[in-house]
Amino acid sequence: MVNKIIEKITDPYSLISSLGVRGLFNWMSDEKYLKMLWRLKFHKSLNLDNPQTFNEKLQWLKIHDRKPIYTTMADKYAVKKYVADKIGGKYIIPTLGVWESFEDINFDILPNQFVLKCTHDSGSVCVCKDKDQFNFANAKKKLSKALSHNLFYWGREWPYKEVRPRIIAEKYLDDGNNGLIDYKFMCFNGKAKCVFTVTNRFSQNGMHVTFYDMDWKIMPFTRHYKADNEPIQKPKSYDKMLEMAERLASDLTFARVDFYEVNGHPYFGEITLCPGNGIEEFKPEEWDNILGSWMI
């Protein structure tokens, strides 16, 4: 009965996702919940018995691959020490402070430019380029709302479940491109197979995601987002980024390892074990199978 009602809703996937992050489906097993989300998104059954595609295998890993260290990797504050121990502290974006709530933040001690984000989720980022122009009310609303949610219940990504919700402030970085370019390395069994850039993240026209092979040639597919019209220049520190990405992903079946670059110097961004919740579509669809074949 519930499934029939859901199917009549215009965008049932978005509705169930928003209800899921609020904990309304906590009573469902991870497998049952993921199968429901999958059907709403792709209009077909999720194959967990013999997963073949990249997205299917990510769903399988959510359920079957759970190690305590993944919680550290998902924690945007705790991961800094973990990564610094492996690749060196000079590649870590400096932390300016960490707090339990927005009300605890002492803005007087922060510089004129900084970035605020939550430690336990994805997307709750507030960029301050000038304190005099910063919308504190909007930042408080956005971050306080994020603190009240556990991202695990949206897509059942286990690493997020036990991350302690906090707010951190980081040094503001500027690469001169009207917003940092993300360089995201897709590593399979410790080896990077492709990399993609994220540009125009805060643009009104929406962000762009462009995939490149390891020789920095554009690959003939997209995943959920449009690609840039023009190629992005290969970062000066590309080889160093690649080396560090593979070092951080060496013990993982799959990991996406992210970096930024400022004046030729790379900075670690994050480690993601299940990009896009493992539910973003490929065009052409065959690339979902191709990337899936890289994950053994």
PDB file of all heavy atoms in Angstrom, residues 213-234:
ATOM      1  N   ASP A 213      40.606  10.887 -18.020  1.00  0.00           N
ATOM      2  CA  ASP A 213      41.380   9.675 -17.766  1.00  0.00           C
ATOM      3  C   ASP A 213      42.702  10.084 -17.122  1.00  0.00           C
ATOM      4  O   ASP A 213      42.953  11.264 -16.866  1.00  0.00           O
ATOM      5  CB  ASP A 213      41.572   8.843 -19.039  1.00  0.00           C
ATOM      6  CG  ASP A 213      42.402   9.548 -20.125  1.00  0.00           C
ATOM      7  OD1 ASP A 213      43.144  10.514 -19.798  1.00  0.00           O
ATOM      8  OD2 ASP A 213      42.331   9.125 -21.290  1.00  0.00           O
ATOM      9  N   MET A 214      43.566   9.120 -16.872  1.00  0.00           N
ATOM     10  CA  MET A 214      44.783   9.416 -16.124  1.00  0.00           C
ATOM     11  C   MET A 214      45.809  10.192 -16.952  1.00  0.00           C
ATOM     12  O   MET A 214      46.799  10.693 -16.410  1.00  0.00           O
ATOM     13  CB  MET A 214      45.403   8.121 -15.587  1.00  0.00           C
ATOM     14  CG  MET A 214      44.460   7.336 -14.658  1.00  0.00           C
ATOM     15  SD  MET A 214      43.550   8.381 -13.478  1.00  0.00           S
ATOM     16  CE  MET A 214      44.881   9.046 -12.494  1.00  0.00           C
ATOM     17  N   ASP A 215      45.574  10.324 -18.254  1.00  0.00           N
ATOM     18  CA  ASP A 215      46.412  11.170 -19.113  1.00  0.00           C
ATOM     19  C   ASP A 215      45.782  12.550 -19.317  1.00  0.00           C
ATOM     20  O   ASP A 215      46.208  13.299 -20.199  1.00  0.00           O
ATOM     21  CB  ASP A 215      46.629  10.484 -20.469  1.00  0.00           C
ATOM     22  CG  ASP A 215      47.446   9.205 -20.341  1.00  0.00           C
ATOM     23  OD1 ASP A 215      48.405   9.200 -19.541  1.00  0.00           O
ATOM     24  OD2 ASP A 215      47.121   8.220 -21.026  1.00  0.00           O
ATOM     25  N   TRP A 216      44.775  12.851 -18.522  1.00  0.00           N
ATOM     26  CA  TRP A 216      44.054  14.116 -18.559  1.00  0.00           C
ATOM     27  C   TRP A 216      43.367  14.362 -19.902  1.00  0.00           C
ATOM     28  O   TRP A 216      43.344  15.470 -20.443  1.00  0.00           O
ATOM     29  CB  TRP A 216      44.955  15.284 -18.192  1.00  0.00           C
ATOM     30  CG  TRP A 216      44.175  16.457 -17.637  1.00  0.00           C
ATOM     31  CD1 TRP A 216      43.881  17.626 -18.271  1.00  0.00           C
ATOM     32  CD2 TRP A 216      43.565  16.548 -16.340  1.00  0.00           C
ATOM     33  NE1 TRP A 216      43.132  18.454 -17.453  1.00  0.00           N
ATOM     34  CE2 TRP A 216      42.928  17.814 -16.252  1.00  0.00           C
ATOM     35  CE3 TRP A 216      43.487  15.699 -15.239  1.00  0.00           C
ATOM     36  CZ2 TRP A 216      42.234  18.237 -15.117  1.00  0.00           C
ATOM     37  CZ3 TRP A 216      42.813  16.112 -14.109  1.00  0.00           C
ATOM     38  CH2 TRP A 216      42.197  17.365 -14.057  1.00  0.00           C
ATOM     39  N   LYS A 217      42.759  13.322 -20.433  1.00  0.00           N
ATOM     40  CA  LYS A 217      41.917  13.432 -21.618  1.00  0.00           C
ATOM     41  C   LYS A 217      40.466  13.230 -21.185  1.00  0.00           C
ATOM     42  O   LYS A 217      40.169  12.332 -20.400  1.00  0.00           O
ATOM     43  CB  LYS A 217      42.311  12.380 -22.660  1.00  0.00           C
ATOM     44  CG  LYS A 217      43.719  12.580 -23.206  1.00  0.00           C
ATOM     45  CD  LYS A 217      44.068  11.478 -24.195  1.00  0.00           C
ATOM     46  CE  LYS A 217      45.486  11.667 -24.729  1.00  0.00           C
ATOM     47  NZ  LYS A 217      45.875  10.568 -25.676  1.00  0.00           N
ATOM     48  N   ILE A 218      39.586  14.082 -21.695  1.00  0.00           N
ATOM     49  CA  ILE A 218      38.172  14.021 -21.300  1.00  0.00           C
ATOM     50  C   ILE A 218      37.573  12.667 -21.674  1.00  0.00           C
ATOM     51  O   ILE A 218      37.767  12.171 -22.786  1.00  0.00           O
ATOM     52  CB  ILE A 218      37.378  15.160 -21.950  1.00  0.00           C
ATOM     53  CG1 ILE A 218      37.816  16.500 -21.359  1.00  0.00           C
ATOM     54  CG2 ILE A 218      35.880  14.970 -21.744  1.00  0.00           C
ATOM     55  CD1 ILE A 218      37.087  17.697 -21.919  1.00  0.00           C
ATOM     56  N   MET A 219      36.853  12.073 -20.736  1.00  0.00           N
ATOM     57  CA  MET A 219      36.208  10.787 -20.964  1.00  0.00           C
ATOM     58  C   MET A 219      34.789  11.014 -21.507  1.00  0.00           C
ATOM     59  O   MET A 219      34.144  12.030 -21.195  1.00  0.00           O
ATOM     60  CB  MET A 219      36.182   9.972 -19.674  1.00  0.00           C
ATOM     61  CG  MET A 219      37.585   9.719 -19.110  1.00  0.00           C
ATOM     62  SD  MET A 219      37.602   8.743 -17.585  1.00  0.00           S
ATOM     63  CE  MET A 219      37.286   7.099 -18.253  1.00  0.00           C
ATOM     64  N   PRO A 220      34.274  10.074 -22.311  1.00  0.00           N
ATOM     65  CA  PRO A 220      33.019  10.300 -23.038  1.00  0.00           C
ATOM     66  C   PRO A 220      31.758   9.953 -22.248  1.00  0.00           C
ATOM     67  O   PRO A 220      30.872   9.235 -22.720  1.00  0.00           O
ATOM     68  CB  PRO A 220      33.179   9.372 -24.243  1.00  0.00           C
ATOM     69  CG  PRO A 220      33.962   8.216 -23.704  1.00  0.00           C
ATOM     70  CD  PRO A 220      34.940   8.819 -22.714  1.00  0.00           C
ATOM     71  N   PHE A 221      31.659  10.437 -21.008  1.00  0.00           N
ATOM     72  CA  PHE A 221      30.437  10.194 -20.244  1.00  0.00           C
ATOM     73  C   PHE A 221      30.268  11.282 -19.195  1.00  0.00           C
ATOM     74  O   PHE A 221      31.197  12.034 -18.876  1.00  0.00           O
ATOM     75  CB  PHE A 221      30.464   8.810 -19.579  1.00  0.00           C
ATOM     76  CG  PHE A 221      31.448   8.674 -18.446  1.00  0.00           C
ATOM     77  CD1 PHE A 221      31.071   8.978 -17.140  1.00  0.00           C
ATOM     78  CD2 PHE A 221      32.749   8.250 -18.672  1.00  0.00           C
ATOM     79  CE1 PHE A 221      31.973   8.860 -16.090  1.00  0.00           C
ATOM     80  CE2 PHE A 221      33.654   8.124 -17.626  1.00  0.00           C
ATOM     81  CZ  PHE A 221      33.264   8.425 -16.332  1.00  0.00           C
ATOM     82  N   THR A 222      29.066  11.366 -18.666  1.00  0.00           N
ATOM     83  CA  THR A 222      28.764  12.248 -17.544  1.00  0.00           C
ATOM     84  C   THR A 222      28.096  11.423 -16.453  1.00  0.00           C
ATOM     85  O   THR A 222      27.593  10.319 -16.702  1.00  0.00           O
ATOM     86  CB  THR A 222      27.825  13.402 -17.941  1.00  0.00           C
ATOM     87  OG1 THR A 222      26.585  12.850 -18.416  1.00  0.00           O
ATOM     88  CG2 THR A 222      28.454  14.263 -19.014  1.00  0.00           C
ATOM     89  N   ARG A 223      28.104  11.977 -15.244  1.00  0.00           N
ATOM     90  CA  ARG A 223      27.410  11.336 -14.120  1.00  0.00           C
ATOM     91  C   ARG A 223      26.597  12.398 -13.395  1.00  0.00           C
ATOM     92  O   ARG A 223      27.121  13.187 -12.646  1.00  0.00           O
ATOM     93  CB  ARG A 223      28.397  10.654 -13.170  1.00  0.00           C
ATOM     94  CG  ARG A 223      27.702   9.847 -12.071  1.00  0.00           C
ATOM     95  CD  ARG A 223      28.691   8.985 -11.295  1.00  0.00           C
ATOM     96  NE  ARG A 223      27.985   8.113 -10.364  1.00  0.00           N
ATOM     97  CZ  ARG A 223      28.125   8.151  -9.037  1.00  0.00           C
ATOM     98  NH1 ARG A 223      28.966   9.006  -8.486  1.00  0.00           N
ATOM     99  NH2 ARG A 223      27.431   7.335  -8.274  1.00  0.00           N
ATOM    100  N   HIS A 224      25.332  12.416 -13.704  1.00  0.00           N
ATOM    101  CA  HIS A 224      24.314  13.268 -13.073  1.00  0.00           C
ATOM    102  C   HIS A 224      24.447  14.744 -13.449  1.00  0.00           C
ATOM    103  O   HIS A 224      23.440  15.398 -13.728  1.00  0.00           O
ATOM    104  CB  HIS A 224      24.358  13.105 -11.554  1.00  0.00           C
ATOM    105  CG  HIS A 224      23.191  13.752 -10.862  1.00  0.00           C
ATOM    106  ND1 HIS A 224      21.899  13.308 -11.025  1.00  0.00           N
ATOM    107  CD2 HIS A 224      23.115  14.834 -10.022  1.00  0.00           C
ATOM    108  CE1 HIS A 224      21.072  14.064 -10.311  1.00  0.00           C
ATOM    109  NE2 HIS A 224      21.783  15.001  -9.709  1.00  0.00           N
ATOM    110  N   TYR A 225      25.659  15.289 -13.466  1.00  0.00           N
ATOM    111  CA  TYR A 225      25.850  16.704 -13.749  1.00  0.00           C
ATOM    112  C   TYR A 225      26.415  16.912 -15.155  1.00  0.00           C
ATOM    113  O   TYR A 225      27.077  16.018 -15.708  1.00  0.00           O
ATOM    114  CB  TYR A 225      26.808  17.336 -12.734  1.00  0.00           C
ATOM    115  CG  TYR A 225      26.308  17.266 -11.310  1.00  0.00           C
ATOM    116  CD1 TYR A 225      26.728  16.251 -10.461  1.00  0.00           C
ATOM    117  CD2 TYR A 225      25.414  18.215 -10.824  1.00  0.00           C
ATOM    118  CE1 TYR A 225      26.268  16.180  -9.145  1.00  0.00           C
ATOM    119  CE2 TYR A 225      24.948  18.152  -9.517  1.00  0.00           C
ATOM    120  CZ  TYR A 225      25.376  17.136  -8.679  1.00  0.00           C
ATOM    121  OH  TYR A 225      24.919  17.066  -7.392  1.00  0.00           O
ATOM    122  N   LYS A 226      26.189  18.079 -15.712  1.00  0.00           N
ATOM    123  CA  LYS A 226      26.741  18.424 -17.011  1.00  0.00           C
ATOM    124  C   LYS A 226      28.244  18.631 -16.905  1.00  0.00           C
ATOM    125  O   LYS A 226      28.758  19.055 -15.876  1.00  0.00           O
ATOM    126  CB  LYS A 226      26.092  19.699 -17.550  1.00  0.00           C
ATOM    127  CG  LYS A 226      24.624  19.557 -17.896  1.00  0.00           C
ATOM    128  CD  LYS A 226      24.074  20.862 -18.443  1.00  0.00           C
ATOM    129  CE  LYS A 226      22.607  20.723 -18.816  1.00  0.00           C
ATOM    130  NZ  LYS A 226      22.050  22.002 -19.345  1.00  0.00           N
ATOM    131  N   ALA A 227      28.949  18.354 -17.990  1.00  0.00           N
ATOM    132  CA  ALA A 227      30.384  18.596 -18.047  1.00  0.00           C
ATOM    133  C   ALA A 227      30.658  20.031 -18.475  1.00  0.00           C
ATOM    134  O   ALA A 227      29.790  20.704 -19.047  1.00  0.00           O
ATOM    135  CB  ALA A 227      31.044  17.632 -19.034  1.00  0.00           C
ATOM    136  N   ASP A 228      31.864  20.507 -18.190  1.00  0.00           N
ATOM    137  CA  ASP A 228      32.260  21.833 -18.645  1.00  0.00           C
ATOM    138  C   ASP A 228      32.313  21.886 -20.161  1.00  0.00           C
ATOM    139  O   ASP A 228      32.648  20.894 -20.826  1.00  0.00           O
ATOM    140  CB  ASP A 228      33.641  22.188 -18.091  1.00  0.00           C
ATOM    141  CG  ASP A 228      33.584  22.745 -16.676  1.00  0.00           C
ATOM    142  OD1 ASP A 228      33.004  23.824 -16.493  1.00  0.00           O
ATOM    143  OD2 ASP A 228      34.108  22.079 -15.769  1.00  0.00           O
ATOM    144  N   ASN A 229      32.002  23.045 -20.713  1.00  0.00           N
ATOM    145  CA  ASN A 229      32.065  23.213 -22.164  1.00  0.00           C
ATOM    146  C   ASN A 229      33.505  23.200 -22.668  1.00  0.00           C
ATOM    147  O   ASN A 229      33.777  22.748 -23.782  1.00  0.00           O
ATOM    148  CB  ASN A 229      31.390  24.516 -22.569  1.00  0.00           C
ATOM    149  CG  ASN A 229      29.891  24.491 -22.309  1.00  0.00           C
ATOM    150  OD1 ASN A 229      29.259  23.444 -22.444  1.00  0.00           O
ATOM    151  ND2 ASN A 229      29.334  25.631 -21.953  1.00  0.00           N
ATOM    152  N   GLU A 230      34.417  23.696 -21.849  1.00  0.00           N
ATOM    153  CA  GLU A 230      35.828  23.736 -22.215  1.00  0.00           C
ATOM    154  C   GLU A 230      36.635  22.915 -21.208  1.00  0.00           C
ATOM    155  O   GLU A 230      36.304  22.881 -20.025  1.00  0.00           O
ATOM    156  CB  GLU A 230      36.346  25.180 -22.226  1.00  0.00           C
ATOM    157  CG  GLU A 230      35.652  26.078 -23.236  1.00  0.00           C
ATOM    158  CD  GLU A 230      35.955  25.670 -24.660  1.00  0.00           C
ATOM    159  OE1 GLU A 230      37.033  25.068 -24.895  1.00  0.00           O
ATOM    160  OE2 GLU A 230      35.118  25.963 -25.544  1.00  0.00           O
ATOM    161  N   PRO A 231      37.703  22.255 -21.667  1.00  0.00           N
ATOM    162  CA  PRO A 231      38.529  21.458 -20.746  1.00  0.00           C
ATOM    163  C   PRO A 231      39.139  22.313 -19.646  1.00  0.00           C
ATOM    164  O   PRO A 231      39.494  23.463 -19.870  1.00  0.00           O
ATOM    165  CB  PRO A 231      39.616  20.874 -21.657  1.00  0.00           C
ATOM    166  CG  PRO A 231      39.063  20.955 -23.044  1.00  0.00           C
ATOM    167  CD  PRO A 231      38.182  22.171 -23.058  1.00  0.00           C
ATOM    168  N   ILE A 232      39.263  21.735 -18.470  1.00  0.00           N
ATOM    169  CA  ILE A 232      39.932  22.386 -17.355  1.00  0.00           C
ATOM    170  C   ILE A 232      41.424  22.069 -17.449  1.00  0.00           C
ATOM    171  O   ILE A 232      41.812  20.942 -17.766  1.00  0.00           O
ATOM    172  CB  ILE A 232      39.368  21.888 -16.011  1.00  0.00           C
ATOM    173  CG1 ILE A 232      37.881  22.198 -15.924  1.00  0.00           C
ATOM    174  CG2 ILE A 232      40.125  22.499 -14.841  1.00  0.00           C
ATOM    175  CD1 ILE A 232      37.539  23.662 -15.976  1.00  0.00           C
ATOM    176  N   GLN A 233      42.240  23.064 -17.179  1.00  0.00           N
ATOM    177  CA  GLN A 233      43.683  22.852 -17.243  1.00  0.00           C
ATOM    178  C   GLN A 233      44.131  21.845 -16.189  1.00  0.00           C
ATOM    179  O   GLN A 233      43.674  21.868 -15.048  1.00  0.00           O
ATOM    180  CB  GLN A 233      44.421  24.178 -17.045  1.00  0.00           C
ATOM    181  CG  GLN A 233      45.926  24.090 -17.231  1.00  0.00           C
ATOM    182  CD  GLN A 233      46.591  25.451 -17.137  1.00  0.00           C
ATOM    183  OE1 GLN A 233      45.922  26.477 -17.015  1.00  0.00           O
ATOM    184  NE2 GLN A 233      47.910  25.469 -17.188  1.00  0.00           N
ATOM    185  N   LYS A 234      45.008  20.965 -16.573  1.00  0.00           N
ATOM    186  CA  LYS A 234      45.558  19.980 -15.649  1.00  0.00           C
ATOM    187  C   LYS A 234      46.288  20.702 -14.519  1.00  0.00           C
ATOM    188  O   LYS A 234      47.095  21.600 -14.767  1.00  0.00           O
ATOM    189  CB  LYS A 234      46.533  19.063 -16.406  1.00  0.00           C
ATOM    190  CG  LYS A 234      47.159  17.953 -15.584  1.00  0.00           C
ATOM    191  CD  LYS A 234      48.071  17.111 -16.480  1.00  0.00           C
ATOM    192  CE  LYS A 234      48.769  16.021 -15.709  1.00  0.00           C
ATOM    193  NZ  LYS A 234      49.647  15.194 -16.596  1.00  0.00           N
TER     194      LYS A 234
END
